[in-house]
Amino acid sequence: VVVVNSGMKQPASFLYEQDDQGVATITLNRPERLNALTFEVYRELTDLFAALRDENEVRCVVITGSGRAFCSGGDVHDIIGELFNRNMEGLLEFTRMTCELIHNIRLLPKPVIASLNGTTAGAGACIALASDIRIASEEAKIAFLFVKVGLSGADMGAAYLLPRVVGLAKATELLYTGDFISAAEAERTGLYNRVVASAELQNVTRELAVRLARGPAFALAKTKEMLNRELNMNLETALESEAQAQAICMQHPDYREAYEAFVAKREPKFK
């Protein structure tokens, strides 16, 4: 993999790299703390996902962790302990920032793959949930454990997104109990798209990321936009919206390129 120097400001609290295939990789890098999030990590992740909207060389984003965890949630000492010193205004400032991160992940018009290398909990589970696709190692148990610490299970979009991924009944169970489920169970419920052996995770993730990066970026962006929009539409509105979206895509050069490639019996070269 050739690492490309990005013109963006490099984050200080986690690792970031772009390669020559159009794939950007974010690696949470506090393995000694199970990649627990700090205020700085939250802020830099939120800002990075916003900046990636305009990073034209990036066509797919992978987020993963170092060590034996993907992300164990907010750091007990650096965040939770400090929050006791805040009034309501200060608490709301923090919770709105955490929700801004989820908003920026969903708003990014590029595929986001969560490559779950290990324990995924709390805010880490919400980051994974907000991603478009989740590929996990067999060790990647997951929990939305907010109620375990006396907080609402409705955190960082979990009560909105989770029922739409696994259904209301399973989402209610996961958010009420805060219990961990195994990677195998997460795959069975549809929360994980795929579970692989730990040794295969990086290669399987990479293969999909490169495939998506080589795909029609405009069409993928429009697909993600419509998936977001149609969450709150009735059928009639959704059908009309899809008709308009498809007509827009038919005007894009990628549509003609796909046709000409098919006729010439070659692989399309999307711009």
Side-chain angles (χ1 to χ4, degrees):
V1 177
V2 178
V3 177
V4 178
N5 290 324
S6 169
M8 292 193 308
K9 177 184 176 183
Q10 292 296 301
S13 61
F14 52 84
L15 305 179
Y16 174 81
E17 60 184 37
Q18 293 176 206
D19 66 24
D20 59 355
Q21 299 295 311
V23 178
T25 302
I26 298 165
T27 305
L28 302 175
N29 193 36
R30 302 179 72 222
E32 73 287 353
R33 302 288 296 170
L34 300 182
N35 299 321
L37 303 173
T38 64
F39 290 107
E40 183 182 21
V41 176
Y42 264 121
R43 186 71 266 161
E44 288 200 306
L45 275 176
T46 301
D47 292 345
L48 176 62
F49 274 102
L52 283 170
R53 296 174 206 163
D54 300 318
E55 191 72 8
N56 294 330
E57 298 303 313
V58 172
R59 296 165 67 100
C60 183
V61 178
V62 172
I63 182 166
T64 191
S66 59
R68 60 190 180 92
F70 169 70
C71 175
S72 59
D75 191 287
V76 173
H77 302 293
D78 289 10
I79 288 184
I80 298 175
E82 198 277 339
L83 289 177
F84 287 118
N85 298 319
R86 295 194 178 194
N87 60 16
M88 183 61 184
E89 182 180 359
L91 293 171
L92 194 55
E93 178 187 11
F94 170 70
T95 54
R96 282 176 172 161
M97 179 183 68
T98 67
C99 289
E100 183 186 1
L101 169 57
I102 300 304
H103 182 258
N104 287 354
I105 294 173
R106 294 307 309 157
L107 201 64
L108 182 67
K110 305 170 186 188
V112 178
I113 302 172
S115 186
L116 308 175
N117 54 295
T119 300
T120 303
C126 291
I127 291 170
L129 178 63
S131 301
D132 298 301
I133 295 174
R134 289 157 291 282
I135 302 176
S137 74
E138 295 168 332
E139 294 77 24
K141 62 182 181 178
I142 185 169
F144 296 85
L145 45 66
F146 306 106
V147 295
K148 297 271 193 179
V149 296
L151 294 176
S152 166
D155 189 75
M156 295 176 67
Y160 180 85
L161 291 170
L162 193 58
R164 290 164 169 80
V165 174
V166 303
L168 181 60
K170 190 63 179 179
T172 301
E173 177 190 342
L174 292 175
L175 296 181
Y176 274 14
T177 67
D179 289 343
F180 276 100
I181 59 172
S182 67
E185 183 177 351
E187 184 180 31
R188 283 196 301 272
T189 62
L191 181 53
Y192 290 173
N193 295 82
R194 188 172 176 187
V195 174
V196 300
S198 180
E200 299 176 12
L201 179 63
Q202 187 173 357
N203 287 338
V204 171
T205 302
R206 171 81 186 161
E207 183 179 318
L208 178 58
V210 170
R211 177 183 173 185
L212 293 176
R214 289 176 178 168
F218 185 82
L220 289 170
K222 184 60 69 175
T223 301
K224 183 168 182 176
E225 177 189 342
M226 297 312 296
L227 284 168
N228 283 332
R229 286 178 180 267
E230 292 185 44
L231 288 172
N232 298 304
M233 290 182 184
N234 59 31
L235 178 61
E236 182 180 359
T237 305
L239 288 172
E240 175 58 23
S241 296
E242 290 194 6
Q244 293 185 24
Q246 206 67 302
I248 291 169
C249 287
M250 288 173 178
Q251 294 182 304
H252 194 275
D254 282 347
Y255 183 56
R256 178 171 293 278
E257 167 59 18
Y259 168 73
E260 292 178 352
F262 177 80
V263 172
K265 298 181 179 180
R266 61 172 174 81
E267 287 294 316
K269 297 179 180 178
F270 298 116
K271 302 299 182 182

